[in-house]
Amino acid sequence: MRFLPVFLDLQSGVVLLIGAGELVRAKLRLLASAGARVRWYATDDNHDLTGLAVEDTTRIELAKGDPLAADLSTVIAILCAGAGDIGVAMSARAKAVGLPVNVMDDLAHSTFIFPAIVDRGDVVVAVGTGGASPVVARRVRERIEAVLPARIGDLASFIGGFRKSIHARIPEFPLRRRFWERVIDGPIGALVLAGRKDEAEAALKQIDDASAFAGGAQGKTTGHITLVGAGPGDPDLLTVKALRALQDADIVFYDELVSPEVLDRARRDAARVPVGRRVGKPGIGQDAINKLLIEAAQSGQRAVRLKGGDPFIFGRGGEEIEVLRHAGVAYSVIPGITAGLGAAAQFETPLTYRQEALRITFLTAHKAKDAEAVDWSVLTDTKMTVVVYMGMTAAPSIREGMLAAGRSPRTPVGVFARVTRPDAQAVVGTLADLPDLVGRIEGGPAVLVIGDVVAHSAPWRQYQLNQVICNLLEAAE
């Protein structure tokens, strides 16, 4: 993120506008609609205010002379649109005195950019692409416009009118935040959005015990733990329910395998506590994690236990909810896309296939001893797809176990690493070559998919093409 989105107080000074033509007039209309005081230097001496409301024109100063010599003492920002070389020179002057400057369509000489804006009064949404694609920003804005309630700004101003009085009645921040969440998400918020502000105000004033309204009959916050499946890495694969839980969380306990992009979807002011570990590296241990979850709930916090993949597929989610249940802690579980399914989708590997693969088995093998403990004899059915998690280290033992049990050494195998992430990698071959395939992977985590279905995958098609090319080259020699 090169440009940090911030909101400029237009009441604190003057915006210096420089330029000519329709480009500068578009910016002038935007600034006027936002209530800005503008000092406009028209580089073509054409101060045409056609299309602006009379009340807007009273805040516009039509300046004469050289803008490079303009007094900047009351200026809070400089904007150049259709200004030519003057824009570049003005940028240098602005930077010299520390004023934010925008030269339209010139990132090199700008210290701020204009986002696409959704304006709902007190609620303003800014969408930017770092200047790379204004069209994309506009498309995103259109999507937001379509789903954002028309009176969401009215709701914000309604809450603002009661903010000080509720702050005095509920000094505890977590409890106060829950109070407003209940107001916004409940009947009172619905009344405001429906245009019935007077009824909403009356309903809010009828709440005698604000603390009880926020936290229950005893006026205490009730903690809750939500186990959330983070999926294999792509944040767009999070469910809507998972996103809502991350936005509501006071604290997030996350695994090592949770991608930074997924973690960024949590509320900005939520505490983030790493509790995961990689194979062979020290971690705080499951007992310590359980203790942290219970303590968070008992202190009234809403905590998210964020797990890579799905909480109930090798995520120890079952163990954690059993501990929470025994401790009397409220909890819920939100599923996530497990790595095996992520790999199947990304690399076009159908885990089942009519008449070819009728069953799926998911298993885990952290180490060689884990693989040696598996009864491979039940996994030799050629119509069964075997998906192995955390099996890179144990790859030699997995191969030996399956071969000894009778699975064909020519069985197609795929090693899919860092699935759904930008650096995802796939290597395919046969069961006989499994350890060598794993050796070609540039770091995990990875899942192994063993079965005839791998022959239907996109990497296998490329693998076969490479084999044909190699054979032709050998024949040509």
Side-chain angles (χ1 to χ4, degrees):
M1 181 172 61
R2 175 179 171 184
F3 292 94
L4 178 70
V6 296
F7 290 89
L8 184 68
D9 181 6
L10 294 175
Q11 305 302 312
S12 63
V14 175
V15 176
L16 193 65
L17 179 63
I18 304 167
E22 185 53 36
L23 292 178
V24 78
R25 286 179 177 80
K27 297 301 182 186
L28 183 64
R29 289 191 292 271
L30 175 63
L31 292 170
S33 66
R37 289 184 291 148
V38 181
R39 184 179 304 150
W40 178 21
Y41 284 87
T43 53
D44 62 353
D45 293 325
N46 181 11
H47 287 106
D48 183 4
L49 299 178
T50 302
L52 292 177
V54 175
E55 60 269 22
D56 290 337
T57 61
T58 60
R59 298 191 304 274
I60 300 173
E61 175 189 346
L62 306 181
K64 299 287 186 179
D66 183 3
L68 295 175
D71 177 16
L72 303 181
S73 58
T74 60
V75 172
I76 57 174
I78 298 174
L79 173 59
C80 304
D85 293 338
I86 294 178
V88 176
M90 202 69 208
S91 170
R93 188 182 177 202
K95 291 177 181 179
V97 297
L99 279 175
V101 59
N102 173 268
V103 181
M104 189 174 177
D105 293 331
D106 187 350
L107 289 179
H109 294 95
S110 300
T111 59
F112 76 93
I113 59 176
F114 275 87
I117 296 171
V118 179
D119 185 0
R120 291 287 193 273
D122 283 352
V123 174
V124 177
V125 181
V127 181
T129 60
S133 179
V135 174
V136 170
R138 288 199 297 272
R139 288 291 180 266
V140 174
R141 182 196 65 194
E142 290 166 5
R143 297 285 184 90
I144 296 173
E145 290 267 19
V147 300
L148 203 62
R151 294 191 177 91
I152 192 70
D154 294 342
L155 182 58
S157 62
F158 173 82
I159 291 172
F162 287 91
R163 190 174 180 181
K164 287 186 178 179
S165 62
I166 296 300
H167 191 291
R169 294 168 64 185
I170 312 177
E172 302 89 351
F173 173 74
L175 196 62
R176 189 168 63 251
R177 179 162 57 81
R178 294 194 191 182
F179 173 89
W180 286 122
E181 286 172 350
R182 290 198 63 187
V183 168
I184 293 169
D185 297 333
I188 296 175
L191 286 171
V192 177
L193 295 178
R196 298 156 63 182
K197 187 176 178 180
D198 292 342
E199 295 177 51
E201 185 171 338
L204 186 59
K205 289 179 177 178
Q206 287 176 3
I207 300 174
D208 295 325
D209 191 337
S211 295
F213 177 81
Q218 291 76 34
K220 297 180 180 179
T221 55
T222 303
H224 188 277
I225 306 297
T226 306
L227 277 63
V228 175
D234 183 352
D236 289 339
L237 294 179
L238 286 168
T239 65
V240 173
K241 197 170 184 180
L243 286 171
R244 189 179 302 123
L246 285 170
Q247 285 296 306
D248 287 343
D250 301 309
I251 185 169
V252 178
F253 300 99
Y254 64 95
D255 281 346
E256 177 73 20
L257 296 180
V258 174
S259 70
E261 294 80 10
V262 168
L263 195 58
D264 281 344
R265 300 299 175 95
R267 204 178 77 237
R268 290 297 178 189
D269 60 341
R272 302 179 185 186
V273 181
V275 295
R277 69 181 182 90
R278 292 282 187 127
V279 175
K281 294 183 179 180
I284 69 171
Q286 189 61 50
D287 289 342
I289 295 173
N290 295 340
K291 183 179 179 182
L292 288 173
L293 295 176
I294 293 171
E295 289 175 349
Q298 290 177 342
S299 65
Q301 297 185 82
R302 286 175 297 184
V304 161
R305 175 70 171 100
L306 191 59
K307 295 172 170 289
D310 181 271
F312 284 174
I313 298 183
F314 307 122
R316 305 190 74 170
E319 300 172 43
E320 290 179 356
I321 65 169
E322 186 172 345
V323 170
L324 296 174
R325 186 167 58 248
H326 289 163
V329 170
Y331 64 86
S332 57
V333 181
I334 299 174
I337 293 178
T338 187
L341 299 183
Q346 182 172 17
F347 297 109
E348 302 174 22
T349 309
L351 299 184
T352 63
Y353 203 91
R354 188 176 177 85
Q355 304 302 326
E356 291 184 24
L358 309 180
R359 290 169 288 280
I360 309 171
T361 294
F362 294 91
L363 60 90
T364 179
H366 289 272
K367 304 173 184 177
K369 64 179 182 180
D370 296 327
E372 292 168 359
V374 174
D375 182 3
W376 297 105
S377 65
V378 301
L379 303 175
T380 56
D381 184 353
T382 58
K383 293 188 177 182
M384 176 186 293
T385 302
V386 180
V387 182
V388 185
Y389 288 69
M390 297 168 279
M392 294 180 70
T393 302
S397 298
I398 294 170
R399 177 191 63 180
E400 296 309 318
M402 296 200 76
L403 292 178
R407 196 83 184 232
S408 170
R410 295 187 296 275
T411 302
V413 169
V415 183
F416 304 114
R418 306 176 301 282
V419 298
T420 76
R421 302 187 187 193
D423 62 343
Q425 183 184 6
V427 178
V428 297
T430 62
L431 180 58
D433 298 324
L434 178 56
D436 294 333
L437 301 178
V438 169
R440 291 161 55 188
I441 291 295
E442 300 167 0
V447 292
L448 318 179
V449 179
I450 304 169
D452 292 344
V453 292
V454 177
H456 295 283
S457 69
W460 188 273
R461 294 195 294 271
Q462 184 62 48
Y463 168 74
Q464 285 187 314
L465 178 60
N466 293 341
Q467 291 292 101
V468 171
I469 293 174
C470 288
N471 292 337
L472 290 175
L473 290 175
E474 289 178 1
E477 293 178 355

